[in-house]
């Protein structure tokens, strides 16, 4: 069964199609209902839950009067408001990141470029703990452990019977910059190599320093695709912001950038050997 996040996106997509079929602009619809344009945009993007009363207003505005069609929309609205497993983590999971966890849980393909850190889905517990402690040194131990548990649970999608295809490109700095002590790094790099070697759904490439300037300098991002929802989304974040991109032109641009990064990176088989060699160097 799809997660509430994906159901919200499906609902938003259907509502967006209804609006377009009526030749109505988002700005005009929002104004007619007394909403902000950003509210309607976030509803159609699936980033926020839709109240049944708001769904009813939208359907009425679009002239949807068929009892059966209204029933289907409201049923989907109710399903999309259910809570996913990640809601149990409360404040340890920022509001803007909740949508990503839901998308990640239902994605069939995940392509990610990380220039500084090991992707969350491939982090070991000890590496993740060091990263979290470094990024929030004043945080409480309780908060850290809760965030750590969340990150580890996210990785369960790689063990399910239909895991997503994960293609990860990491910058060479991920290998070279020590996180924690040598044992932490050796364990982490060995783990990535093992996952890429033993899991047919996981591919890892290393982008070497010798690649020079490239199309994603200073950036990290993830592309997520789904089997039951058209289109993909791009997710990126900085220290204080989390951004979701759904415009087709921007998604195409990120797809092109990812393919260029693939071409500039060490091939998967050689990347595995590189990771193992680096792990041995840390262990020496």
């Amino acid at each position: 069964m799809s997660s509430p996040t994906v159901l919200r996106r499906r609902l938003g997509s259907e509502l967006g199609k209804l609006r377009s079929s009526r030749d109505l602009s988002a700005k005009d619809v929002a104004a007619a209902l007394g909403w902000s344009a950003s509210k309607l945009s976030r509803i159609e993007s699936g980033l926020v839950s839709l109240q049944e009363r708001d769904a009813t207003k939208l359907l009425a505005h679009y002239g949807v009067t068929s009892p059966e069609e209204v029933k289907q929309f409201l049923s989907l609205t109710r399903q999309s408001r259910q809570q996913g497993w990640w809601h149990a983590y409360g404040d340890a999971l920022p509001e803007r990141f909740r949508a990503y966890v839901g998308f990640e849980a239902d994605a069939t393909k995940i392509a990610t470029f990380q220039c500084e850190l090991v992707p969350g889905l491939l982090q070991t517990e000890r590496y993740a703990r060091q990263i979290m402690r470094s990024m929030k040194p004043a945080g409480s131990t309780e908060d850290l452990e809760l965030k750590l548990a969340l990150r580890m649970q996210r990785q369960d999608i790689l063990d399910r019977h239909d895991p997503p295809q994960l293609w990860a490109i990491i910058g060479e700095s991920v290998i070279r910059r020590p996180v924690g002590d040598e044992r932490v790094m050796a364990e982490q790099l060995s783990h990535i190599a093992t996952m890429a070697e033993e899991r047919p759904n996981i591919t890892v490439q290393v982008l070497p320093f010798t690649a020079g300037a490239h199309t994603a300098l200073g950036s990290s991002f993830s592309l997520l695709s789904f089997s039951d929802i058209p289109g993909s989304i791009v997710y990126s974040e900085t220290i204080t912001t989390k951004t979701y991109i759904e415009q087709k032109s921007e998604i195409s641009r990120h797809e092109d950038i990812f393919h260029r990064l693939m071409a500039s990176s060490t091939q998967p088989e050689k990347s595995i050997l590189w990771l193992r060699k680096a792990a041995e160097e840390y262990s020496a």
Side-chain angles (χ1 to χ4, degrees):
M1 180 179 178
S2 296
S3 75
T5 305
V6 171
L7 291 175
R8 283 203 306 267
R9 190 160 183 260
R10 183 183 301 158
L11 175 62
S13 175
E14 291 301 319
L15 290 171
K17 290 176 183 177
L18 271 178
R19 177 178 56 75
S20 296
S21 70
R22 270 61 171 178
D23 199 25
L24 296 169
S25 71
K27 182 179 180 180
D28 289 341
V29 172
L33 297 179
W35 298 350
S36 66
S38 62
K39 174 177 177 176
L40 183 58
S41 174
R42 288 166 65 81
I43 287 172
E44 292 186 357
S45 297
L47 294 178
V48 295
S49 298
L50 179 63
Q51 299 285 347
E52 284 190 53
R53 62 176 180 273
D54 287 339
T56 301
K57 289 179 182 179
L58 279 172
L59 294 174
H61 190 71
Y62 297 150
V64 177
T65 57
S66 166
E68 186 60 32
E69 193 171 0
V70 170
K71 180 180 178 181
Q72 289 177 354
F73 268 104
L74 293 183
S75 175
L76 183 55
T77 300
R78 284 190 291 272
Q79 293 177 53
S80 71
R81 290 185 57 78
Q82 295 175 4
Q83 293 188 337
W85 59 263
W86 50 89
H87 284 270
Y89 289 91
D91 293 339
L93 180 58
E95 181 65 32
R96 289 285 289 176
F97 193 57
R98 290 182 183 180
Y100 177 80
V101 175
F103 289 141
E104 182 183 73
D106 278 85
T108 52
K109 293 182 180 179
I110 302 172
T112 183
F113 170 62
Q114 300 295 324
C115 59
E116 295 288 338
L117 300 172
V118 171
L121 291 177
L122 296 175
Q123 291 180 8
T124 63
E125 185 173 326
R126 293 203 296 174
Y127 178 94
R129 181 179 282 109
Q130 290 292 332
I131 290 294
M132 291 177 180
R133 183 174 290 131
S134 298
M135 295 182 72
K136 199 172 181 180
S140 69
T141 299
E142 182 181 5
D143 182 60
L144 183 149
E145 292 301 323
L146 200 56
K147 290 180 183 296
L148 181 62
L150 168 65
R151 183 160 301 180
M152 294 299 102
Q153 188 168 353
R154 282 172 50 203
Q155 297 179 5
D156 288 349
I157 64 172
L158 299 177
D159 294 320
R160 67 191 187 198
H161 73 280
D162 58 341
Q165 293 292 320
L166 173 62
W167 196 299
I169 299 176
I170 59 175
E172 185 176 346
S173 59
V174 175
I175 296 175
R176 300 303 179 192
R177 179 179 292 106
V179 172
D181 59 25
E182 289 81 2
R183 291 176 300 173
V184 172
M185 286 301 296
E187 178 188 53
Q188 176 63 81
L189 298 181
S190 294
H191 176 69
I192 301 172
T194 298
M195 294 292 280
E197 201 168 41
E198 297 181 356
R199 306 287 185 101
N201 60 305
I202 297 177
T203 302
V204 176
Q205 288 184 270
V206 179
L207 179 66
F209 290 142
T210 54
H214 56 80
T215 52
L217 279 173
S219 301
S220 294
F221 64 90
S222 296
L223 272 159
L224 297 92
S225 304
F226 312 88
S227 62
D228 55 352
I229 303 176
S232 302
I233 63 167
V234 174
Y235 173 80
S236 62
E237 65 179 74
T238 63
I239 293 174
T240 57
T241 62
K242 295 173 175 58
T243 304
Y244 298 89
I245 299 172
E246 292 191 285
Q247 296 92 335
K248 290 183 179 180
S249 60
E250 288 298 308
I251 290 173
S252 295
R253 183 183 177 197
H254 281 81
E255 289 173 341
D256 178 66
I257 288 173
F258 194 81
H259 286 129
R260 290 177 184 272
L261 291 170
M262 288 170 60
S264 299
S265 299
T266 305
Q267 291 303 300
E269 295 80 5
K270 292 184 178 179
S271 292
I272 291 174
L273 294 175
W274 189 354
L275 288 164
R276 294 227 179 267
K277 181 179 179 182
E280 291 174 359
E281 291 173 355
Y282 277 109
S283 298

